[in-house]
Amino acid sequence: MKKRFAGLLVAAMLAATLAGCGGSAEETTAADAAGAGTEAGAEDSGSGDNSPEGKKLLFFAFQNIGDYGTNDLGYYAAQEIAEKYDIDMTLVEGGMDASTRTTTLLDAIETGGYDYVISSSWYIQDDLLANVDRFPDMKFILYDTAPTLDLSDYPNVFGVSFRQDEGSFLTAVYQCLMSENHKIGAAANQDSPILNDFVTGWLAGVKYYNDNMAEDGEEVEYNIAYYSDQTVQGAYETVNVLYNNGCDVVYNIGGSYCVGALNACSEHGGIDNGQYLIGVDYDQYTTFANAENEVAGYENLVTSMEKRITQCCVLAFDGIVSGDMEMGNHRFGVADGGTGLAYNENYYAHTPEDVQNTITEIEQKITDGDIIVPSYYDLPDYDTFAQFRDDPDYRLQLQ
């Protein structure tokens, strides 16, 4: 069957999207699902009632393709699914005008005759859920959902949520191990629940390191800052302040604004001067290294904390096709490869072997449940989070 990649393009531009994004999410073991769902989906793609062959898939970008972030990662998944299952895939972009985004989405769903719809939860979730009962024969994959999203009333919706807290915990430990100044930083693009889930895990990682791994007198100080505004310039200004304050390893929790963070890192001498930057959402170093247009300073990205949107959306589709994964909100973390550090050539080139080994050990402890990482969504209220963030001596007492 000929595959159709049709784009209803609102604009071909670099979108300034929100990065780092996400009753209960199911803890999905991707290893089990991949062993059964992916294999079964590939073998059965041409037969059976659940076979997607000959059906139609819509990918709705909540803003625009070309953001090096949440939109692109979902689009890669849709393209991979279309190729794997030999189905027609259509791209529709919501654009930057929020007032028309929902109308664009619903018009596409109503007129396209789609069997599957994939989109991010950002900005469209409430409107979409309010209308999905009108399309009972369609199956929706909604990625980057909040862990608390309850989809029990939406039997045709599959939510993909991430343990960004676990990946950020691992990132913080890595920063502590790499820091020569014993001072590290994190810059988040906004003060919101999903971003503060990154921050909660990151803070827990710093405090775990200080409590369990640091030698006396070598505890690590931390700075957390929110962007002055959600732009590349805002990222530059905020990350620059962290380097100016003595942080030598900075975690930029704002994937689409990474260029600004890279500029700040480069101005402070970059890796050659012991100043490291850690990206977010996807392997930004490898992506920028292979980009057609040069991204200045990308070589200073020693690693990234990946939310593996592409892989997990493909896994979700496989599970739906094979019947091995139920609809509902599923949560992917370190144990199943949903989040973690990017182990690329730059990571291996600049990370000492003993640090690599320690990170592997911490990753295994999270996987085995020996380390329980707190989530922002575990906390009773914002004030508890704020105290945990602002007081280096405060520790969470979770049930």
Side-chain angles (χ1 to χ4, degrees):
M1 177 183 300
K2 183 179 179 181
K3 288 168 287 296
R4 176 171 58 92
F5 296 98
L8 306 181
L9 304 180
V10 175
M13 61 178 290
L14 178 62
T17 62
L18 300 177
C21 318
S24 55
E26 300 176 26
E27 293 287 352
T28 300
T29 304
D32 294 341
T38 304
E39 182 177 345
E43 291 178 354
D44 297 341
S45 62
S47 62
D49 292 338
N50 283 335
S51 171
E53 185 175 357
K55 296 183 179 179
K56 299 175 67 176
L57 166 66
L58 166 68
F59 177 72
F60 182 76
F62 68 89
Q63 289 179 332
N64 295 101
I65 297 304
D67 68 340
Y68 290 117
T70 305
N71 290 289
D72 282 1
L73 296 172
Y75 186 43
Y76 299 153
Q79 291 176 306
E80 184 174 335
I81 289 165
E83 183 71 25
K84 179 176 183 178
Y85 289 100
D86 198 22
I87 61 179
D88 288 350
M89 189 273 287
T90 297
L91 163 67
V92 174
E93 296 182 86
M96 302 303 290
D97 185 352
S99 67
T100 62
R101 189 176 293 131
T102 298
T103 302
T104 301
L105 170 61
L106 294 178
D107 284 350
I109 293 173
E110 289 169 353
T111 60
Y114 300 105
D115 302 283
Y116 306 96
V117 177
I118 299 176
S119 186
S120 168
S121 65
W122 282 84
Y123 303 119
I124 66 161
Q125 176 180 293
D126 292 344
D127 290 327
L128 180 61
L129 293 180
N131 286 277
V132 292
D133 61 348
R134 296 166 48 200
F135 314 103
D137 296 328
M138 292 186 192
K139 290 183 171 62
F140 296 82
I141 295 176
L142 195 60
Y143 65 88
D144 226 1
T145 57
T148 52
L149 180 64
D150 184 357
L151 292 175
S152 57
D153 292 333
Y154 307 95
N156 57 338
V157 180
F158 190 110
V160 176
S161 176
F162 294 94
R163 291 300 306 260
Q164 50 258 335
D165 53 310
E166 290 185 345
S168 295
F169 181 101
L170 199 62
T171 300
V173 173
Y174 177 77
Q175 290 177 261
C176 291
L177 291 166
M178 292 290 288
S179 177
E180 293 292 332
N181 294 349
H182 305 297
K183 191 171 185 178
I184 64 173
N189 71 44
Q190 63 174 319
D191 185 356
S192 68
I194 199 89
L195 272 297
N196 285 334
D197 200 28
F198 285 82
V199 175
T200 300
W202 185 80
L203 292 166
V206 179
K207 295 181 181 185
Y208 177 90
Y209 176 87
N210 284 337
D211 291 346
N212 299 279
M213 301 173 67
E215 301 290 339
D216 288 341
E218 294 188 355
E219 289 81 5
V220 172
E221 296 181 39
Y222 68 84
N223 283 164
I224 176 73
Y226 297 100
Y227 285 8
S228 52
D229 59 74
Q230 293 177 46
T231 62
V232 169
Q233 181 64 23
Y236 165 78
E237 292 172 356
T238 306
V239 171
N240 194 51
V241 167
L242 293 174
Y243 285 123
N244 284 339
N245 285 340
C247 300
D248 56 355
V249 192
V250 174
Y251 178 29
N252 176 53
I253 315 173
S256 296
Y257 311 113
C258 187
V259 172
L262 285 171
N263 288 341
C265 185
S266 296
E267 287 184 7
H268 285 80
I271 285 179
D272 291 341
N273 194 39
Q275 307 295 300
Y276 299 91
L277 184 69
I278 297 176
V280 76
D281 285 349
Y282 59 100
D283 183 351
Q284 294 188 304
Y285 169 82
T286 300
T287 299
F288 295 155
N290 295 320
E292 292 183 5
N293 299 319
E294 183 178 356
V295 179
Y298 77 89
E299 65 277 2
N300 295 319
L301 284 159
V302 68
T303 187
S304 295
M305 197 295 281
E306 295 183 281
K307 291 200 325 182
R308 299 184 178 115
I309 289 173
T310 301
Q311 297 91 323
C312 290
C313 284
V314 173
L315 180 61
F317 194 92
D318 290 339
I320 291 170
V321 169
S322 67
D324 291 320
M325 298 179 75
E326 297 180 355
M327 305 303 279
N329 200 22
H330 297 251
R331 205 171 179 191
F332 298 86
V334 166
D336 44 50
T339 59
L341 294 180
Y343 301 125
N344 54 41
E345 62 179 5
N346 222 32
Y347 173 86
Y348 289 115
H350 296 288
T351 305
E353 186 174 355
D354 61 331
V355 174
Q356 295 180 34
N357 292 337
T358 301
I359 289 300
T360 300
E361 292 171 5
I362 296 297
E363 193 172 48
Q364 191 61 49
K365 287 182 178 180
I366 295 173
T367 297
D368 293 341
D370 296 329
I371 294 176
I372 305 298
V373 179
S375 168
Y376 177 82
Y377 298 97
D378 296 330
L379 306 182
D381 50 45
Y382 181 86
D383 289 342
T384 302
F385 163 75
Q387 186 174 3
F388 185 54
R389 179 192 62 201
D390 300 337
D391 184 353
D393 296 323
Y394 181 75
R395 300 294 183 268
L396 294 173
Q397 302 297 322
L398 300 176
Q399 298 297 321

